[in-house]
Amino acid sequence: MTMSDTIEKVKCLIIGSGPAGYTAAIYAARANMFPVLYQGTQPGGQLTTTNEVENYPGYKDGVSGTVMMMEFQEQAKRFGTDIRDGWVTKVDFSGDVHKVWVNESKEIHCETVIISTGASAKYLGLPSEQKYLQLGGGVSACAVCDGFFYRNQEVVIVGAGDSACEEAHYLSKLCTKVTMLVRRDEFRASKIMQSRVRNTKNIEILYNTDTVEVLGDGQVVTGVKVKNNVSGAVTEIPATGFFVAIGHKPNTDIFKNILDLDETGYIINIPGTSKTNIEGVFVSGDAADHVYRQAVTAAGTGCMAALDAERYLAAKEAEVEA
Ligand code: NDP
């Protein structure tokens, strides 16, 4: 067997299977780009960790994140997307042909690559937090997604950055009380975001406070045990929801030193497009977005990436014919 027998050639390779990846696939397939989509280790992406999605237009009664992603997948398949299990472990975008390796072995040569690898919310890592997260019993890393389920209830949120402030403020409009746990004696967030939470009556800020345990009845969260890391005092706060807002990590490690990334690892796109600094490589969804991070915005940029890829291929073909 020669080298060229083992290398697969693909017109449009999509990496990632969240709303961005599947939407890119739907558009690319309908444009005859014969997309191949690798699902990664978490088929369906971050949405499969939320319970109910109620803010995606078209699902008027809400839908579970997992079911929604299965429907996206079916729609992508319907138009011929080749959906595969596998984890992209290495890329080389230095030549005319973009090289991608799957599971460290299979080599694919791509005319275009659409990156939709998403981001992962960071969690504290406490066993009790993970337990109620898995159970869908009151732990969430997305106030905009899940806040509505806690209306007229008391919740706790951990974090002191802009996201935590924004989410605490969002929750304060739905919940009777929001307790914010800040691990140091100051916020990291911008002054304006800090003053917004400070000036909100039903947000209580506890500084120098660490989370010891998420309390529950075995099914759902009932409170949070916290410790003041200066005085050592341990207290319990009643709450039905525990929100974690300590940052996200974009899943972009394999693109380090290959694509332009910002200081936290998000891929930098050319504003108003899905283009990266490498021709023929496009980005969509949370891998390039630390601001909006919504399923519907990810889907929108997935559409942009497929259209940009299609135009790139058309321009290349026109060059060859000229
Ligand atoms: P950040 O990294 O800015 O903040 C993370 C926060 O979580 C920090 O306050 C950090 O505490 C805290 N934290 C981290 N680990 C733990 C832990 N184990 N226990 C307790 N607390 C912890 O992340 P964000 O998601 O808030 O923001 C990411 C980027 O997006 C920032 O650049 C931000 O400015 C931007 N952003 C802007 C918005 C806006 O302008 N509207 C809205 C949202 C985000 P510590 O400070 O002690 O390290």
Side-chain angles (χ1 to χ4, degrees), residues 130-206:
Q130 291 303 308
K131 175 180 163 185
Y132 289 104
L133 175 68
Q134 304 305 331
L135 284 170
V139 172
S140 168
C142 180
V144 177
C145 319
D146 298 327
F148 192 68
F149 303 112
Y150 301 91
R151 59 196 185 281
N152 303 321
Q153 298 172 41
E154 296 189 6
V155 298
V156 170
I157 181 165
V158 57
D162 281 330
S163 297
C165 290
E166 197 169 72
E167 302 213 341
H169 191 250
Y170 181 87
L171 290 167
S172 72
K173 294 189 199 143
L174 300 165
C175 304
T176 47
K177 186 176 176 195
V178 179
T179 306
M180 216 175 163
L181 310 180
V182 175
R183 67 176 170 182
R184 292 184 292 136
D185 61 356
E186 61 177 6
F187 277 92
R188 177 181 296 274
S190 55
K191 292 277 180 287
I192 187 165
M193 300 296 271
Q194 292 184 33
S195 63
R196 195 179 289 173
V197 294
R198 284 208 190 94
N199 294 330
T200 304
K201 278 203 182 76
N202 61 340
I203 299 180
E204 184 183 5
I205 302 161
L206 302 181

